[in-house]
Amino acid sequence: MIHLPNDDNCCGWYASLPPSAIQKRLNGDEKADFVVVGAGFAGLAIARRLAHHAPTARILLIDAQQVGQGASGRNSGFVIDLPHKFALEHPNPEHKQKILRLNRYAISLLVTLIEQHNIDCQWSATGKYQGAVGRRGQARLDHFAQLMRELGEPCHNVEGKALSAVLGTSYYQRAIYTPGSYLMQPAALVRGLADNLPENVERFENSPIRSLSREGKRWLLQGDHGSVSTPTLLLGTSIFTREFGWLKHRLLPVMTFASWTRPLNETETDRYGGQLNWGLTPADHAGTTLRMTIDGRIMVRNTYKYVPQYGHSVSNSLRQKIQQEHRQAFLARYPELEAVPLTHTWGGTYAISRNFTNFFGQLDDGVYACACDNGVGAAWGTVSGTLLADLAAGVDSSLLADIQAVTGMPALNPPEPFLGLGVRSKIRFAKWQSRSEL
């Protein structure tokens, strides 16, 4: 039996959208040339590119939930072009240049699709701020600026009144602005991409796969009310790849949590005094991510949890505690908005690896996967899914060579209970170290 996603129903991005059209479920026995499991950024990109390579093939895209309810619709709404966090620390400059090329290719693909299909997802080329509060954050920010210079990428320092005029708060001492990232409404983007798939892609939602087996040269996927047989299976399932029997003991399920406000009214917007539509990530990795959306919502994200049972690891009481922590972070930055409530608090599960390595490639005869985005799923999911379809179709390119060069095998994890003890201790220690940046 495969352990399924168990996401909460509290995601603000999803709740702010109109109800989605009901999609068909897997019902009865099906045969397909290709089956793609997972309809997030990776799975959608896989299916779209396969349809381009094989326009007469029957391609099934299957998700256990509704499109937009999984991790791809729950992130903070950044599409980041630069190597992110630990990837930026890689000692090989060419390695980082390859990641940069891959991320920017993903952004170009998304721009084309959004314009072609007129997808309303608050897409904007606004860049990104990297912010620091205290001395620890300032030191990390100096290091980030040095890495940008080594990478040859433009960035500039913003501080004092210029920074508070953007953020509406003087809480941050300094930020570095980089121009290449985009902001968007993730649930709206994922849903828009799914609603505009090629005609030979059939989509099944709310159709969990319960088991997988091999029958001769074909793979049989068994659901609650039907099955699918295919010679070629492509997994855009990230952390859930291990539930199908591959990459076991190599992926760590981590959930990040965010909260946001309702849209500020006119009086509150005047009190706030900053700009709309910006995003800030912390110079210190465990610090606070902050967003102001186009429609005037402030979002705070700064909590990480190890979730070996995915959503089952999170109780309502834990979610309420997390919202209180987010409330404290919100009021520290915007005390003048004390009357503004946090309306939604949600989590999203993603995969990281101990060696911060993404997996990309073939797992078995007729089985391909891209997994473990290490927290940067929008760009990486799009490009890895696109190129995975190329790999399965036998289509070579310099970009395929790039992604094969920068990916590898995630490191093996120690067994439980040592794994859980280690991960939880590391998260707690990182939070303590970064307390000045929260």
Side-chain angles (χ1 to χ4, degrees), residues 44-167:
L44 289 164
I46 293 168
R48 185 179 302 278
R49 189 71 149 214
L50 282 176
H52 170 77
H53 291 316
T56 61
R58 188 181 188 211
I59 302 166
L60 302 189
L61 175 62
I62 304 174
D63 199 281
Q65 304 181 104
Q66 286 182 291
V67 167
Q69 276 282 35
S72 291
R74 293 170 172 269
N75 63 55
S76 299
F78 292 85
V79 188
I80 298 173
D81 64 331
L82 299 168
H84 195 48
K85 294 186 178 179
F86 298 102
L88 194 57
E89 305 279 350
H90 198 281
N92 184 349
E94 184 55 31
H95 181 97
K96 290 186 278 193
Q97 289 294 337
K98 287 181 170 67
I99 293 175
L100 194 60
R101 286 195 292 270
L102 290 164
N103 287 342
R104 287 179 174 165
Y105 178 62
I107 289 172
S108 70
L109 290 173
L110 290 171
V111 168
T112 298
L113 291 168
I114 289 165
E115 292 176 351
Q116 179 182 348
H117 299 294
N118 195 27
I119 298 173
D120 182 9
C121 62
Q122 301 180 10
W123 181 264
S124 54
T126 54
K128 180 177 73 71
Y129 293 88
Q130 190 102 323
V133 179
R135 284 190 299 175
R136 177 181 169 87
Q138 291 263 32
R140 293 296 182 94
L141 208 57
D142 291 339
H143 181 55
F144 175 74
Q146 177 62 33
L147 292 172
M148 288 295 96
R149 287 191 290 270
E150 293 173 1
L151 198 59
E153 287 299 310
C155 66
H156 68 263
N157 198 64
V158 188
E159 56 189 327
K161 291 182 179 179
L163 183 59
S164 60
V166 175
L167 307 182

Side-chain angles (χ1 to χ4, degrees), residues 328-347:
Q328 291 173 2
F330 171 73
L331 291 177
R333 290 157 175 79
Y334 303 106
E336 71 279 7
L337 299 178
E338 185 178 7
V340 179
L342 297 178
T343 59
H344 297 80
T345 298
W346 66 93

Side-chain angles (χ1 to χ4, degrees), residues 198-216:
E199 291 184 358
N200 62 324
V201 178
E202 299 174 54
R203 174 171 135 210
F204 295 94
E205 295 184 11
N206 293 314
S207 301
I209 299 302
R210 299 288 183 177
S211 65
L212 174 68
S213 59
R214 182 79 169 174
E215 293 191 346

Side-chain angles (χ1 to χ4, degrees), residues 161-174:
K161 291 182 179 179
L163 183 59
S164 60
V166 175
L167 307 182
T169 177
S170 57
Y171 188 78
Y172 291 88
Q173 295 294 312
R174 184 163 64 102

